Amino acid sequence: MKIGIPKERRPLERRVAVSPETAKKFTGLGATVVVESGAGEACGLTDDLFRAAGAEIASDAAAAVGDADLVLKVRRPLTEAEGGPDEAAMLKSGAVLVAGMEALQNAAQVGDYASKGIVAFAMELMPRITRAQSMDILSSQSNLAGYKAVLDANEHFPRAMPMMMTAAGTVAPARVFVFGAGVAGLQAIATAKRLGAVVSATDVRPATREQVMSLGGKFVAPDIEESGDGEGGYAKEMSDAYKAKQAEMIAEALKKTDIAITTALIPGRKAPILITAEHVKSMRPGSVIVDLAAEMGGNCELTTPGEVTVEHGVTIVAHLNTASRIAADASLLFAKNLWNFLSPHIDKESGELKIDWEDETVTGTLLTRDGQVVHAQLKGEG
């Protein structure tokens, strides 16, 4: 089996889908691993490190993936319409493609993979089951994004984060409010607490209350008997009554907030607006909002995705692809996620890929097979 890893060519993407550690593990099972030259350069993984792990280095993407049986990527293939080479066209019919595909937002491209005979897996659709936690790219990358969000906030915040008692006087601690207590939100809470901030958080899923409190945060939620627990551990959209009550609560909380970090996402949908323009106006000058949902439109009404702006004296940080801004660790974790997903399906004797099509992690992530789109959500069945 030949495994091809091309260099990522999407803007702002510095990660790579294989690490020297996982390359060595794949070659240890008898696979040939071919990495495009420079694929790991942006995250400090040189060609020499991959060679030392047993991988071969290809001069370009076509040489790396053209005859590969298995292709590993961080992001979905570029298209000519997006200003790049048609990366999917480089793959042979029957090739297996494993990547973060953003499939629910790019259904037309998924159809293109099917027409080309590619067997495509979308790692962001990994089921939220205990056995699949080590394969979950959303969790591993969101963890880093939550950490980075606090550092980004600190960069733009004009005051210190912790309480400081000095001979010249006392510096009050920063007040941080985190929207969403998923993986990114919980890491943001933990990081802000380590920096000495007073942290509060809100989430529509009642089960997150204990997690927030265990990290030293205060849990804030409307006093309404309604659960936001959706399928697979994700949040679902709430009733109008809940949202109205939530808006009142948020309005009061933001008046006393120095740093707001938003992480709320609904799979396949535009990010919900949690911070309105009026909320921003009510915040103290010098406050900071870090919007981790910027790629899906943002949780703040005044967010400009990909930019850092100042509105009504409040700095709104809306970087795209936050995990890629910690590319070294993000790549190592992403590569391990792919290894954990694929290794059970590699025959230890022959080194060939023998996918168990009934495995829950396979049925949950498989997009295309035998020239057809097979994922339930893309067929309108889920």
Side-chain angles (χ1 to χ4, degrees), residues 300-380:
C300 176
E301 186 179 4
L302 300 181
T303 287
T304 302
E307 297 185 19
V308 177
T309 57
V310 178
E311 302 286 349
H312 310 295
V314 177
T315 300
I316 303 173
V317 182
H319 294 302
L320 302 178
N321 199 357
T322 300
S324 184
R325 299 176 64 235
I326 316 178
D329 287 331
S331 295
L332 297 180
L333 295 178
F334 191 99
K336 197 64 178 292
N337 291 145
L338 299 194
W339 162 259
N340 291 334
F341 171 59
L342 291 165
S343 57
H345 303 283
I346 299 176
D347 186 88
K348 304 305 183 287
E349 304 234 344
S350 66
E352 295 298 317
L353 192 62
K354 294 186 177 179
I355 297 172
D356 177 0
W357 301 106
E358 302 302 317
D359 188 294
E360 193 173 357
T361 65
V362 170
T363 58
T365 57
L366 181 63
L367 299 178
T368 59
R369 185 186 179 195
D370 297 329
Q372 301 292 322
V373 175
V374 298
H375 197 278
Q377 286 180 274
L378 292 170
K379 292 169 65 179

Side-chain angles (χ1 to χ4, degrees), residues 96-114:
V96 175
L97 171 64
V98 181
M101 304 292 277
E102 299 166 311
L104 300 182
Q105 297 95 323
N106 297 280
Q109 290 186 20
V110 175
D112 185 49
Y113 307 145

Side-chain angles (χ1 to χ4, degrees), residues 67 97 104 176 179 185 210 239 327 344 361 379 382:
D67 60 346
L97 171 64
L104 300 182
V176 175
F179 292 77
E210 290 186 11
S239 68
T361 65
K379 292 169 65 179

Side-chain angles (χ1 to χ4, degrees), residues 183-203:
V183 175
L186 291 173
Q187 183 57 249
I189 293 167
T191 303
K193 285 296 293 183
R194 285 196 294 268
L195 290 177
V198 174
V199 185
S200 299
T202 186
D203 196 290

Side-chain angles (χ1 to χ4, degrees), residues 10-11 76-84 106 109:
R10 289 190 176 275
R76 72 184 192 279
L78 265 176
T79 66
E80 290 183 348
E82 293 171 314
N106 297 280
Q109 290 186 20

